Amino acid sequence: MEAYAAVLTPQESRQMSRLAAGVMRERFIVGRGMLRLLLGSYLGLEPRAVEFRNPPGGKPTLAPSTCSRPVAFSLSHSGEACLAAFRASDDIGVDMEWVRDLQDCEDIAARWFPPAERRSFFKARPDERPRRFLLCWTQVEARAKADGSGLGGILARADRSWIWRVRDVGPPGNYVASLAFRPPPVRLARHCVLPAACCFEAAAR
C-alpha cells in the first residue's frame, strides 16, 4: 500500500484523504498507484508524470501531453482484487466481479441483458446462474467502458454492443472478468501484480 501511495500526485493524495478509511480508500490507492506505475513503464515516464484527463460523464484517458504513443486503459475493482487492461492505439474495456450469491438475477437478466447475454444466462443450470450472471454482467460492463457511453448507453442501444468483441479474461480465484475490444482480435498477455514487491509474474495466454 505504501509503494502505491508513494506515486500519487498531491491532488490525488488529497482526494484519497477525503475517502473514509477502509476498502474505498485502499481501492483508490491501489488502482491509481498501479495505473501510474504501469502506464509510466509503457510510456517511459516517471509514474507521477503521467497525466489523466477525466471529462465529466466520459471515460478517463491519458492527457495528450503525456502520450508518446497512444495507450488505452481500463480499470475495475471487486472484492479484494483490482484488474487493469491496456492496449496500444485503440479503446478497450475491462470489468471484473467477485462471484457471490445474488438475488433477482433472473429478473435483471430478463429485463436488462442484451440478447446474447440473456441466452447465455438462461441456458445455465440454476446452481451455475450466480456465476454465469456475473460473467454476463462483466461482458455488458466491459463493452460500456470500452464504448464510453456508459452502462445506460449500451443497454438502451443494443446495436452499440455489437461494435465490441468480448473475451473471458479468466482471472485467478473466485472472480470472473471480461475484456471488450474492437477487431482485430487481441493477443492477451496476463500479468499478476505482486503488491509487496511492485513487480510482475507474467503468464502469457
Side-chain angles (χ1 to χ4, degrees):
M1 196 65 66
E2 290 79 7
Y4 288 127
V7 302
L8 300 181
T9 64
Q11 180 180 358
E12 289 168 339
S13 295
R14 290 191 295 272
Q15 185 177 349
M16 177 266 295
S17 67
R18 291 194 292 268
L19 298 172
V23 173
M24 294 303 294
R25 182 180 292 190
E26 291 175 356
R27 283 182 175 178
F28 179 84
I29 294 170
V30 173
R32 186 53 63 96
M34 182 173 67
L35 273 180
R36 288 194 168 281
L37 286 164
L38 293 175
L39 286 169
S41 70
Y42 292 144
L43 297 170
L45 296 171
E46 290 295 324
R48 283 188 178 179
V50 175
E51 295 181 30
F52 297 103
R53 184 172 58 185
N54 296 281
K59 60 188 295 185
T61 60
L62 286 171
S65 60
T66 64
C67 295
S68 56
R69 58 175 176 149
V71 177
F73 65 90
S74 183
L75 181 69
S76 182
H77 306 89
S78 187
E80 296 182 348
C82 178
L83 178 67
F86 306 87
R87 189 184 190 188
S89 75
D90 201 0
D91 288 325
I92 198 169
V94 72
D95 193 64
M96 176 177 64
E97 288 288 345
W98 173 55
V99 178
R100 58 205 184 273
D101 289 331
L102 296 169
Q103 296 180 342
D104 302 326
C105 290
E106 289 82 3
D107 291 342
I108 295 171
R111 183 175 181 182
W112 296 110
F113 278 4
E117 284 78 8
R118 190 184 309 131
R119 287 192 297 269
S120 176
F121 171 76
F122 282 105
K123 284 181 181 178
R125 299 197 313 262
D127 61 313
E128 294 177 340
R129 284 189 175 177
R131 187 179 191 91
R132 182 62 60 88
F133 174 86
L134 289 167
L135 178 60
C136 292
W137 182 263
T138 65
Q139 293 169 355
V140 176
E141 281 272 18
R143 287 191 184 108
K145 290 182 177 181
D147 191 71
S149 63
L151 186 59
I154 287 291
L155 292 175
R157 295 187 55 198
D159 59 306
R160 294 292 298 170
S161 69
W162 299 115
I163 297 173
W164 305 98
R165 305 283 179 87
V166 290
R167 182 171 173 179
D168 181 2
V169 176
N174 195 32
Y175 292 88
V176 292
S178 296
L179 179 75
F181 57 92
R182 268 192 284 253
V186 298
R187 179 182 178 275
L188 181 62
R190 187 175 64 188
H191 304 273
C192 182
V193 179
L194 305 176
C198 284
C199 62
F200 314 105
E201 285 184 347
R205 299 177 58 214

